[in-house]
Amino acid sequence: MTHPPTITAEPLTAEAFAPYGEVLEASGEPDKLINEGKCGRFHDRARMDFGGGAAGISVFQAQLRETPHRLDMLERHPLGSQAFIPMSQSRFLVVVADDADGQPANIRAFIARAGQGVNLHRNVWHGVLCPLDGTGIYGVIDRIGPESNLEEHWLAEPMTVEV
Amino acid sequence: MTHPPTITAEPLTAEAFAPYGEVLEASGEPDKLINEGKCGRFHDRARMDFGGGAAGISVFQAQLRETPHRLDMLERHPLGSQAFIPMSQSRFLVVVADDADGQPANIRAFIARAGQGVNLHRNVWHGVLCPLDGTGIYGVIDRIGPESNLEEHWLAEPMTVEV
């Protein structure tokens, strides 16, 4: 599998990201108003899938990354989906790819803007968590369990992701 | 059940909040370093409980509240836990209570500081989402399903929560 040496990150939108997962954001009209009209609920926005395993909430504290981003590895989680909810108003880089015979193909990059999180579907190839600004702290909802749930793919040649 | 007319919010700490749920924060040493040491994982920090139902991720957009806070109602969710992950660096007020014969008792208030979320255990009495600053946007992980999962208790006399 060969990849282009450089790709450019796109804005993160629900439509563009649909093959890989969902964008978690308060966008458009809420599904329901609660708390006497003082709170809008954008309801059930992530396709969570833990293959019969248990979901958990963890907190990640990640170092900010420099741009352009040097991409040398993609990973995937065969046993479950994984959601990232930024705990600051901040941007992060989301690298995803299709799968072709067990390897990442058609690698794409998205910029999540302030107020956007993502849920990655089970077994979707993705880059590591790349905060571009803010605190680097994220709420993470993924599968908890003793089984191995990480597959890494190192690129033959690192790629550059322009932001 | 009588309640004091005024209570004062306490700082939110894991120890103080333990009877009601967990504090979700990057505090102390992470359980694991991932992504070549660039990310700390504070692992599996919420006791999620959906009674055999399904977890989902929603996004709440809540109006900021004024202080002192006028508390007139507490609610609980008999079928599942509920976690709130603020998507901005911001403070929110977390009102919780014990249960005494189906009514809230010993009402307490906590201030979650920037970087803190909470997970409320199943059936714990709590106030509505009360952002004090920031965007008012939260990732919410709770039970998704058609069954009624809300019980409200209106106080005979509103209380004041000093912040």
Side-chain angles (χ1 to χ4, degrees):
Chain A
M1 180 68 59
T2 58
H3 302 287
T6 300
I7 60 174
T8 301
E10 313 161 50
L12 179 65
T13 66
E15 287 175 344
F17 200 65
Y20 316 106
E22 293 86 21
V23 178
L24 304 172
E25 61 184 333
S27 172
E29 289 298 307
D31 298 290
K32 190 178 178 183
L33 286 174
I34 61 174
N35 301 347
E36 299 185 286
K38 290 189 166 57
C39 183
R41 180 175 178 125
F42 300 81
H43 183 70
D44 196 17
R45 293 297 175 99
R47 198 175 89 203
M48 295 169 81
D49 169 14
F50 303 110
I57 306 175
S58 300
V59 177
F60 282 16
Q61 182 162 30
Q63 293 179 21
L64 301 189
R65 301 288 183 131
E66 291 181 356
T67 57
H69 176 64
R70 184 178 183 274
L71 177 70
D72 49 16
M73 192 270 291
L74 289 94
E75 62 183 45
R76 60 179 179 175
H77 306 298
L79 299 183
S81 55
Q82 187 174 44
F84 294 91
I85 299 176
M87 294 179 72
S88 60
Q89 277 194 280
S90 51
R91 298 176 312 137
F92 63 110
L93 184 66
V94 184
V95 171
V96 288
D98 299 327
D99 179 75
D101 300 322
Q103 292 188 23
N106 305 321
I107 298 171
R108 293 173 73 181
F110 295 93
I111 302 278
R113 64 173 185 273
Q116 290 183 317
V118 296
N119 181 57
L120 295 166
H121 290 163
R122 177 175 172 168
N123 225 23
V124 165
W125 288 111
H126 59 278
V128 298
L129 182 56
C130 278
L132 299 178
D133 47 33
T135 62
I137 298 177
Y138 292 74
V140 176
I141 300 92
D142 63 3
R143 185 181 192 276
I144 304 293
E147 303 88 351
S148 173
N149 187 23
L150 175 64
E151 183 181 349
E152 294 185 343
H153 177 88
W154 290 80
L155 301 177
E157 297 287 335
M159 292 170 62
T160 299
V161 182
E162 304 274 3
V163 171
Chain B
M1 178 69 59
T2 58
H3 303 287
T6 302
I7 59 174
T8 301
E10 313 162 47
L12 179 65
T13 66
E15 294 80 7
F17 199 65
Y20 316 106
E22 292 86 21
V23 178
L24 305 173
E25 62 185 333
S27 172
E29 289 298 308
D31 298 290
K32 190 178 178 183
L33 287 174
I34 59 175
N35 300 348
E36 300 185 287
K38 290 187 166 58
C39 183
R41 180 174 178 126
F42 300 80
H43 183 70
D44 195 17
R45 292 299 175 99
R47 198 177 87 202
M48 295 169 83
D49 169 13
F50 303 109
I57 306 175
S58 300
V59 177
F60 283 16
Q61 181 161 32
Q63 292 179 21
L64 301 189
R65 301 289 184 131
E66 292 179 355
T67 56
H69 176 65
R70 185 178 182 273
L71 177 70
D72 49 17
M73 191 271 290
L74 289 92
E75 63 184 43
R76 61 179 178 175
H77 306 298
L79 299 184
S81 55
Q82 187 173 43
F84 294 91
I85 299 177
M87 293 178 71
S88 60
Q89 278 194 280
S90 51
R91 299 175 312 137
F92 63 110
L93 184 66
V94 183
V95 172
V96 288
D98 299 328
D99 179 77
D101 300 321
Q103 294 188 23
N106 306 320
I107 298 172
R108 293 172 73 181
F110 295 93
I111 302 277
R113 65 174 185 273
Q116 290 184 317
V118 296
N119 181 56
L120 294 165
H121 289 164
R122 179 175 171 166
N123 225 20
V124 165
W125 288 110
H126 59 279
V128 298
L129 183 55
C130 278
L132 299 178
D133 48 32
T135 61
I137 299 177
Y138 293 73
V140 176
I141 300 94
D142 62 4
R143 186 181 191 276
I144 304 293
E147 303 87 351
S148 173
N149 187 23
L150 175 65
E151 183 181 350
E152 293 185 343
H153 178 88
W154 290 81
L155 301 177
E157 297 287 334
M159 291 171 61
T160 298
V161 182
E162 303 275 4
V163 169

Coordinates of all heavy atoms in Angstrom, one line a residue, chain A residues 60-127:
Chain A
F60 N -8.2 11.2 29.1 CA -6.9 11.2 28.4 C -6.3 12.6 28.6 O -7.0 13.6 28.4 CB -6.9 10.9 26.9 CG -7.1 9.5 26.6 CD1 -7.5 8.5 27.5 CD2 -6.9 9.1 25.3 CE1 -7.7 7.2 27.2 CE2 -7.1 7.7 24.9 CZ -7.5 6.8 25.8
Q61 N -5.0 12.7 28.9 CA -4.3 14.0 28.9 C -3.2 13.8 27.9 O -2.2 13.2 28.2 CB -3.7 14.3 30.3 CG -3.0 15.6 30.3 CD -2.9 16.2 31.8 OE1 -2.8 15.4 32.7 NE2 -2.9 17.5 31.9
A62 N -3.3 14.5 26.8 CA -2.4 14.3 25.7 C -1.6 15.6 25.4 O -2.1 16.7 25.6 CB -3.2 14.0 24.4
Q63 N -0.3 15.4 25.0 CA 0.5 16.5 24.7 C 0.0 17.2 23.4 O -0.5 16.5 22.5 CB 1.9 16.1 24.4 CG 2.6 15.6 25.7 CD 4.1 15.1 25.4 OE1 4.7 15.5 24.4 NE2 4.6 14.3 26.3
L64 N 0.1 18.5 23.3 CA -0.2 19.2 22.1 C 0.8 18.8 21.0 O 1.9 18.5 21.3 CB -0.2 20.7 22.3 CG -1.1 21.3 23.4 CD1 -1.1 22.8 23.3 CD2 -2.5 20.8 23.2
R65 N 0.3 18.7 19.8 CA 1.2 18.3 18.7 C 1.5 19.5 17.8 O 0.6 20.4 17.6 CB 0.5 17.2 17.8 CG 0.1 16.0 18.6 CD 1.4 15.2 19.0 NE 1.0 13.9 19.7 CZ 1.4 12.7 19.3 NH1 2.3 12.6 18.3 NH2 1.1 11.7 20.0
E66 N 2.6 19.4 17.1 CA 3.0 20.5 16.2 C 2.4 20.2 14.8 O 2.2 19.0 14.4 CB 4.5 20.6 16.1 CG 5.1 21.1 17.4 CD 6.6 21.2 17.4 OE1 7.2 20.8 16.3 OE2 7.2 21.7 18.3
T67 N 2.3 21.3 14.0 CA 1.8 21.1 12.6 C 2.9 21.7 11.7 O 3.6 22.6 12.1 CB 0.5 21.8 12.4 OG1 0.6 23.1 12.7 CG2 -0.6 21.1 13.2
P68 N 3.1 21.2 10.5 CA 2.4 20.0 10.0 C 2.7 18.8 10.8 O 3.7 18.7 11.4 CB 2.9 19.9 8.5 CG 4.2 20.7 8.6 CD 4.1 21.8 9.6
H69 N 1.7 17.9 10.8 CA 1.8 16.7 11.6 C 2.5 15.6 10.8 O 2.3 15.3 9.7 CB 0.4 16.2 11.9 CG 0.3 14.9 12.7 ND1 0.9 14.8 14.0 CD2 -0.2 13.7 12.4 CE1 0.7 13.5 14.4 NE2 0.0 12.9 13.4
R70 N 3.5 14.9 11.5 CA 4.2 13.8 10.9 C 3.4 12.5 11.3 O 3.3 12.2 12.5 CB 5.6 13.8 11.4 CG 6.5 12.7 10.8 CD 7.9 12.8 11.4 NE 8.8 11.9 10.8 CZ 9.0 10.7 11.3 NH1 8.3 10.2 12.3 NH2 9.9 9.9 10.7
L71 N 2.9 11.9 10.3 CA 2.0 10.7 10.6 C 2.9 9.5 10.2 O 3.2 9.2 9.1 CB 0.8 10.8 9.7 CG -0.2 9.6 9.8 CD1 -0.9 9.5 11.1 CD2 -1.2 9.6 8.6
D72 N 3.1 8.7 11.2 CA 3.9 7.4 11.0 C 3.2 6.2 11.4 O 3.6 5.1 11.0 CB 5.3 7.5 11.7 CG 5.2 7.9 13.1 OD1 4.1 7.8 13.7 OD2 6.2 8.3 13.7
M73 N 2.0 6.3 12.0 CA 1.3 5.1 12.5 C -0.2 5.3 12.5 O -0.6 6.4 12.8 CB 1.8 4.7 13.9 CG 1.4 3.3 14.4 SD -0.1 3.3 15.3 CE 0.4 4.2 16.8
L74 N -0.9 4.3 12.1 CA -2.4 4.3 12.4 C -2.7 3.1 13.2 O -2.0 2.1 13.2 CB -3.2 4.3 11.1 CG -3.2 5.6 10.3 CD1 -2.1 5.5 9.2 CD2 -4.5 5.9 9.6
E75 N -3.8 3.2 14.0 CA -4.2 2.1 14.8 C -5.7 1.9 14.7 O -6.4 2.7 14.1 CB -3.8 2.4 16.3 CG -4.5 3.6 16.9 CD -4.0 3.8 18.3 OE1 -2.8 3.8 18.6 OE2 -4.9 4.1 19.2
R76 N -6.1 0.7 15.1 CA -7.6 0.5 15.2 C -7.9 -0.5 16.4 O -7.0 -1.1 16.9 CB -8.1 -0.1 13.9 CG -7.5 -1.4 13.5 CD -8.1 -1.9 12.2 NE -7.5 -3.2 11.7 CZ -8.0 -3.8 10.7 NH1 -9.0 -3.4 9.9 NH2 -7.4 -5.0 10.3
H77 N -9.2 -0.4 16.8 CA -9.6 -1.2 17.9 C -10.6 -2.2 17.5 O -11.8 -1.9 17.3 CB -10.2 -0.3 19.0 CG -9.2 0.8 19.4 ND1 -8.0 0.6 19.9 CD2 -9.3 2.2 19.2 CE1 -7.3 1.7 20.1 NE2 -8.1 2.7 19.7
P78 N -10.2 -3.5 17.3 CA -11.1 -4.4 16.7 C -12.4 -4.8 17.6 O -13.3 -5.3 17.1 CB -10.2 -5.7 16.5 CG -9.0 -5.5 17.3 CD -8.9 -4.0 17.5
L79 N -12.3 -4.5 18.9 CA -13.4 -4.9 19.8 C -14.4 -3.8 20.1 O -15.4 -4.1 20.8 CB -12.8 -5.5 21.1 CG -11.9 -6.7 20.9 CD1 -11.5 -7.2 22.2 CD2 -12.6 -7.8 20.1
G80 N -14.1 -2.6 19.7 CA -15.1 -1.6 20.1 C -14.9 -0.2 19.5 O -13.8 0.2 19.1
S81 N -16.0 0.6 19.5 CA -15.9 2.0 19.1 C -15.1 2.8 20.2 O -14.9 2.3 21.3 CB -17.3 2.6 19.0 OG -18.1 2.4 20.1
Q82 N -14.8 4.0 19.8 CA -14.0 4.9 20.7 C -14.4 6.4 20.5 O -14.3 6.8 19.4 CB -12.5 4.7 20.5 CG -11.7 5.5 21.5 CD -10.2 5.1 21.4 OE1 -9.6 5.1 20.3 NE2 -9.5 4.9 22.5
A83 N -14.9 7.0 21.5 CA -15.3 8.4 21.4 C -14.4 9.3 22.2 O -13.9 9.0 23.2 CB -16.7 8.6 21.9
F84 N -14.1 10.5 21.6 CA -13.2 11.5 22.2 C -14.0 12.8 22.4 O -14.5 13.4 21.4 CB -12.0 11.8 21.3 CG -11.1 10.7 21.1 CD1 -11.3 9.7 20.1 CD2 -10.1 10.5 22.0 CE1 -10.4 8.7 20.0 CE2 -9.2 9.4 21.9 CZ -9.4 8.5 20.9
I85 N -14.2 13.2 23.6 CA -14.9 14.5 23.9 C -13.9 15.4 24.6 O -13.5 15.3 25.7 CB -16.0 14.2 24.9 CG1 -17.0 13.2 24.3 CG2 -16.7 15.5 25.3 CD1 -18.2 12.8 25.2
P86 N -13.5 16.5 23.8 CA -12.5 17.4 24.3 C -13.1 18.2 25.5 O -14.2 18.6 25.5 CB -12.3 18.4 23.2 CG -13.4 18.2 22.2 CD -14.0 16.8 22.4
M87 N -12.3 18.3 26.6 CA -12.7 19.0 27.8 C -12.3 20.5 27.8 O -12.2 21.1 28.9 CB -12.3 18.2 29.0 CG -13.0 16.9 29.1 SD -12.6 15.9 30.5 CE -13.3 16.7 31.9
S88 N -11.9 21.0 26.7 CA -11.6 22.4 26.5 C -12.1 22.8 25.1 O -12.3 22.0 24.3 CB -10.1 22.7 26.7 OG -9.3 22.1 25.8
Q89 N -12.2 24.1 24.9 CA -12.6 24.6 23.6 C -11.4 24.6 22.7 O -10.5 25.5 22.9 CB -13.2 26.0 23.7 CG -14.6 26.1 24.1 CD -15.1 27.5 23.8 OE1 -14.9 28.4 24.6 NE2 -15.8 27.7 22.7
S90 N -11.2 23.6 21.9 CA -9.9 23.4 21.3 C -10.1 22.6 20.0 O -11.1 22.0 19.8 CB -9.0 22.7 22.2 OG -9.6 21.6 22.8
R91 N -9.1 22.6 19.2 CA -9.1 21.9 17.9 C -8.2 20.7 18.1 O -7.2 20.7 18.8 CB -8.5 22.8 16.8 CG -9.3 24.1 16.6 CD -8.6 24.9 15.5 NE -7.2 25.1 15.8 CZ -6.2 25.0 15.0 NH1 -6.4 24.8 13.7 NH2 -4.9 25.1 15.4
F92 N -8.6 19.6 17.4 CA -7.7 18.5 17.3 C -7.8 17.9 15.9 O -8.7 18.1 15.2 CB -7.9 17.5 18.4 CG -9.3 16.8 18.4 CD1 -9.4 15.4 18.1 CD2 -10.4 17.5 18.8 CE1 -10.6 14.8 18.2 CE2 -11.7 16.8 18.9 CZ -11.8 15.5 18.6
L93 N -6.7 17.2 15.6 CA -6.6 16.5 14.3 C -7.1 15.1 14.4 O -6.7 14.4 15.3 CB -5.1 16.6 13.9 CG -4.7 16.1 12.5 CD1 -5.3 17.0 11.4 CD2 -3.2 16.0 12.4
V94 N -7.9 14.7 13.4 CA -8.5 13.4 13.4 C -8.1 12.7 12.1 O -8.6 13.1 11.0 CB -10.0 13.4 13.5 CG1 -10.6 12.0 13.6 CG2 -10.5 14.2 14.7
V95 N -7.2 11.8 12.1 CA -6.7 11.1 10.9 C -7.5 9.7 10.9 O -7.5 9.0 11.9 CB -5.2 10.8 11.0 CG1 -4.8 9.9 9.8 CG2 -4.5 12.2 10.9
V96 N -8.1 9.4 9.8 CA -8.8 8.2 9.6 C -8.5 7.6 8.3 O -7.9 8.2 7.4 CB -10.4 8.4 9.7 CG1 -10.8 8.7 11.2 CG2 -10.8 9.5 8.8
A97 N -8.9 6.3 8.1 CA -8.6 5.7 6.8 C -9.6 4.5 6.6 O -10.2 4.0 7.6 CB -7.2 5.1 6.8
D98 N -9.8 4.1 5.3 CA -10.5 2.9 5.0 C -9.5 1.7 5.3 O -8.4 1.9 5.6 CB -10.9 2.9 3.5 CG -11.8 4.0 3.2 OD1 -12.6 4.4 4.0 OD2 -11.7 4.5 2.0
D99 N -10.1 0.5 5.2 CA -9.3 -0.7 5.3 C -9.2 -1.4 4.0 O -10.2 -1.5 3.3 CB -9.9 -1.6 6.4 CG -9.1 -2.9 6.5 OD1 -8.0 -2.8 7.1 OD2 -9.5 -3.9 5.9
A100 N -8.1 -1.8 3.6 CA -7.9 -2.6 2.4 C -7.0 -3.8 2.8 O -5.8 -3.6 3.0 CB -7.2 -1.8 1.3
D101 N -7.7 -4.9 2.9 CA -6.9 -6.2 3.2 C -6.1 -6.0 4.4 O -4.9 -6.5 4.5 CB -6.0 -6.6 2.0 CG -6.9 -6.8 0.7 OD1 -8.0 -7.4 0.9 OD2 -6.4 -6.4 -0.3
G102 N -6.7 -5.4 5.5 CA -6.0 -5.3 6.8 C -5.0 -4.2 6.9 O -4.3 -4.1 7.9
Q103 N -5.0 -3.3 5.9 CA -4.1 -2.1 6.0 C -4.9 -0.9 5.7 O -5.8 -0.9 5.0 CB -3.0 -2.2 4.9 CG -2.0 -3.4 5.2 CD -0.8 -3.3 4.2 OE1 -0.5 -2.3 3.7 NE2 -0.2 -4.5 4.0
P104 N -4.4 0.3 6.3 CA -5.1 1.5 6.1 C -5.0 2.0 4.6 O -3.9 1.8 4.0 CB -4.4 2.5 7.0 CG -3.2 1.8 7.5 CD -3.3 0.4 7.3
A105 N -6.0 2.4 4.0 CA -6.0 2.9 2.6 C -6.8 4.2 2.6 O -7.7 4.5 3.4 CB -6.7 1.9 1.7
N106 N -6.5 5.1 1.6 CA -7.3 6.4 1.5 C -7.2 7.2 2.8 O -8.3 7.5 3.3 CB -8.7 6.1 1.0 CG -8.8 5.3 -0.2 OD1 -8.0 5.5 -1.1 ND2 -9.8 4.4 -0.3
I107 N -6.1 7.4 3.3 CA -5.9 8.1 4.5 C -6.4 9.6 4.4 O -6.1 10.3 3.4 CB -4.5 8.1 5.0 CG1 -4.0 6.7 5.2 CG2 -4.3 9.0 6.2 CD1 -2.5 6.5 5.5
R108 N -7.3 10.0 5.3 CA -7.8 11.4 5.3 C -7.6 12.0 6.7 O -7.5 11.3 7.7 CB -9.3 11.4 5.0 CG -9.6 10.9 3.6 CD -11.1 10.8 3.4 NE -11.8 12.1 3.3 CZ -13.1 12.2 3.1 NH1 -13.9 11.1 3.1 NH2 -13.7 13.4 3.1
A109 N -7.6 13.3 6.7 CA -7.4 14.0 8.0 C -8.5 15.1 8.1 O -8.9 15.7 7.1 CB -6.0 14.7 8.0
F110 N -9.0 15.2 9.3 CA -10.0 16.3 9.6 C -9.6 17.1 10.8 O -8.9 16.6 11.7 CB -11.3 15.6 10.0 CG -12.0 14.8 8.8 CD1 -11.7 13.4 8.7 CD2 -12.8 15.4 7.9 CE1 -12.3 12.7 7.7 CE2 -13.4 14.7 6.9 CZ -13.1 13.3 6.8
I111 N -10.0 18.4 10.7 CA -9.8 19.2 11.9 C -11.1 19.4 12.7 O -12.1 19.9 12.1 CB -9.4 20.7 11.5 CG1 -8.1 20.6 10.6 CG2 -9.2 21.5 12.7 CD1 -6.9 20.6 11.4
A112 N -11.1 18.8 13.9 CA -12.3 19.1 14.7 C -12.1 20.5 15.3 O -11.0 20.8 15.9 CB -12.3 18.0 15.8
R113 N -13.1 21.3 15.2 CA -13.0 22.7 15.7 C -13.6 22.7 17.1 O -14.1 21.7 17.6 CB -13.8 23.6 14.8 CG -15.3 23.4 14.8 CD -16.0 24.5 14.0 NE -17.4 24.3 14.1 CZ -18.2 23.5 13.3 NH1 -17.6 22.9 12.3 NH2 -19.5 23.4 13.5
A114 N -13.4 23.8 17.8 CA -13.9 23.9 19.2 C -15.3 23.5 19.3 O -16.1 23.9 18.4 CB -13.7 25.4 19.7
G115 N -15.7 22.7 20.2 CA -17.0 22.2 20.4 C -17.4 20.9 19.7 O -18.5 20.4 19.8
Q116 N -16.4 20.4 19.0 CA -16.7 19.1 18.3 C -15.9 18.0 18.9 O -14.7 18.1 19.2 CB -16.2 19.2 16.8 CG -17.1 20.1 16.0 CD -16.7 20.1 14.5 OE1 -15.6 20.1 14.2 NE2 -17.7 20.0 13.6
G117 N -16.5 16.9 19.2 CA -15.9 15.6 19.5 C -16.1 14.6 18.4 O -16.8 14.9 17.5
V118 N -15.6 13.4 18.5 CA -15.9 12.4 17.5 C -16.1 11.0 18.2 O -15.6 10.8 19.3 CB -14.7 12.2 16.5 CG1 -14.5 13.5 15.7 CG2 -13.4 11.8 17.2
N119 N -16.9 10.2 17.5 CA -16.9 8.8 17.9 C -16.4 8.0 16.7 O -17.0 8.2 15.6 CB -18.4 8.4 18.2 CG -18.5 6.9 18.6 OD1 -17.8 6.5 19.5 ND2 -19.3 6.2 17.9
L120 N -15.4 7.2 16.9 CA -14.9 6.4 15.8 C -15.5 5.0 15.9 O -15.6 4.4 17.0 CB -13.4 6.2 16.0 CG -12.5 7.4 15.9 CD1 -11.1 7.2 16.4 CD2 -12.5 7.9 14.4
H121 N -16.0 4.5 14.8 CA -16.6 3.2 14.8 C -15.6 2.1 15.1 O -14.4 2.3 14.8 CB -17.3 2.9 13.5 CG -18.6 3.8 13.3 ND1 -19.2 4.0 12.1 CD2 -19.3 4.4 14.2 CE1 -20.2 4.7 12.2 NE2 -20.3 5.0 13.5
R122 N -16.1 1.0 15.6 CA -15.3 -0.2 15.8 C -14.4 -0.5 14.6 O -14.9 -0.6 13.4 CB -16.2 -1.3 16.1 CG -15.6 -2.7 16.3 CD -16.8 -3.6 16.8 NE -16.4 -5.0 16.8 CZ -17.1 -5.9 17.4 NH1 -18.3 -5.6 18.0 NH2 -16.7 -7.2 17.4
N123 N -13.2 -0.7 14.8 CA -12.2 -1.2 13.8 C -11.9 -0.2 12.7 O -11.3 -0.6 11.6 CB -12.7 -2.5 13.2 CG -11.6 -3.5 13.0 OD1 -10.6 -3.5 13.8 ND2 -11.8 -4.5 12.1
V124 N -12.2 1.1 12.9 CA -11.8 2.1 11.9 C -10.4 2.5 12.2 O -10.0 2.9 13.3 CB -12.7 3.3 12.0 CG1 -12.2 4.5 11.3 CG2 -14.1 3.0 11.4
W125 N -9.5 2.5 11.1 CA -8.2 3.0 11.3 C -8.1 4.5 11.6 O -8.9 5.2 11.0 CB -7.4 2.8 9.9 CG -7.1 1.4 9.6 CD1 -7.6 0.6 8.6 CD2 -6.1 0.5 10.2 NE1 -7.0 -0.6 8.6 CE2 -6.1 -0.7 9.6 CE3 -5.2 0.7 11.3 CZ2 -5.3 -1.8 9.9 CZ3 -4.4 -0.4 11.7 CH2 -4.4 -1.6 11.0
H126 N -7.3 4.8 12.6 CA -7.2 6.2 12.9 C -5.8 6.5 13.5 O -5.1 5.7 14.0 CB -8.3 6.6 14.0 CG -8.2 5.8 15.2 ND1 -8.7 4.6 15.4 CD2 -7.7 6.1 16.5 CE1 -8.5 4.1 16.6 NE2 -7.9 5.0 17.3
G127 N -5.4 7.8 13.5 CA -4.2 8.3 14.1 C -4.4 8.5 15.6 O -5.5 8.4 16.1

